[in-house]
Amino acid sequence: MFTGIITGVGRIAAVHDLGASPEHGKRITVEAPAGYLEDVSAGDSIALNGACMTVTTLAADRRAFTVDVSAESLDKTSGLDQAGPVNLEKALRAHDRLGGHIVSGHVDGIGSVTRFEPVGESHELRILAPAGLGKYLAYKGSVAVNGVSLTVNSVQDGEQGCELSINLIPHTVQNTALHALRPGSRVNLEIDLIARYVERMLGAGAQAQKVPA
């Protein structure tokens, strides 16, 4: 479980195949900020760009770690199979502050950046989300973008999907890997956990009413 509050920006330094077939995943080596891994052990969970992964090994100097990413996870996420900056968040502890919103680390879909430009002192980030996620996105609701907990400023449904607009304050741009986004960039999206359960409850209730007594 996570909160969407990024605790460090690392870098995917190396990507190695775990096998020769498409069914095999990849082993990723991530370089972390100085001191970031001091309280981390093999087997701990760390979210990489919003995708929950298990630490498999730690470098002797504790400046890097590896994770094994399955072919299924690679197919359902973006940005984990190539070198570059990556948002890091350690798993939530029971006594930690819930500064963002409840994030599971399970990516629901991949969006595409349509706009990322300065507006005043901030940045406007627009993302085209898959149409199937549109019903979970709401004005002033929460969404995780590459693991970052953000507030939705507007949503617009269209034939190509659901476009959402988000305002990024300077602190968020400077302290996450979102600063590297460009129009066309693919991003991992996780919908609000509460919205997911509300949709399921409403759908199940409607189905129950159709069942003959």
Side-chain angles (χ1 to χ4, degrees), residues 91-161:
L92 179 68
R93 292 171 174 168
H95 65 278
D96 285 342
R97 289 190 176 97
L98 188 60
H101 69 282
I102 299 174
V103 177
S104 67
H106 300 151
V107 175
D108 293 299
I110 298 174
S112 177
V113 175
T114 58
R115 173 184 167 92
F116 185 58
E117 294 182 5
V119 177
E121 76 285 357
S122 302
H123 278 70
E124 182 189 18
L125 173 62
R126 291 185 187 176
I127 300 169
L128 184 65
L133 297 185
K135 60 185 175 182
Y136 301 105
L137 301 170
Y139 172 65
K140 296 304 180 184
S142 296
V143 64
V145 178
N146 277 356
V148 185
S149 174
L150 298 170
T151 300
V152 177
N153 283 348
S154 69
V155 292
Q156 181 66 51
D157 294 313
E159 294 183 359
Q160 302 300 318

Side-chain angles (χ1 to χ4, degrees), residues 16-129:
H16 299 285
D17 294 333
L18 292 175
S21 76
E23 286 75 26
H24 287 92
K26 298 182 184 295
R27 177 163 294 154
I28 298 173
T29 300
V30 181
E31 296 175 345
Y36 188 82
L37 300 173
E38 290 181 355
D39 61 346
V40 174
S41 302
D44 286 354
S45 294
I46 295 182
L48 308 182
N49 273 356
C52 179
M53 297 292 162
T54 300
V55 175
T56 53
T57 64
L58 289 160
D61 59 2
R62 304 185 79 80
R63 286 296 302 273
F65 64 97
T66 63
V67 299
D68 290 348
V69 187
S70 68
E72 171 70 10
S73 292
L74 290 171
D75 182 60
K76 297 297 189 293
T77 61
S78 178
L80 299 184
D81 58 353
Q82 56 192 3
V86 62
N87 291 321
L88 304 176
E89 184 184 356
K90 301 172 189 176
L92 179 68
R93 292 171 174 168
H95 65 278
D96 285 342
R97 289 190 176 97
L98 188 60
H101 69 282
I102 299 174
V103 177
S104 67
H106 300 151
V107 175
D108 293 299
I110 298 174
S112 177
V113 175
T114 58
R115 173 184 167 92
F116 185 58
E117 294 182 5
V119 177
E121 76 285 357
S122 302
H123 278 70
E124 182 189 18
L125 173 62
R126 291 185 187 176
I127 300 169
L128 184 65

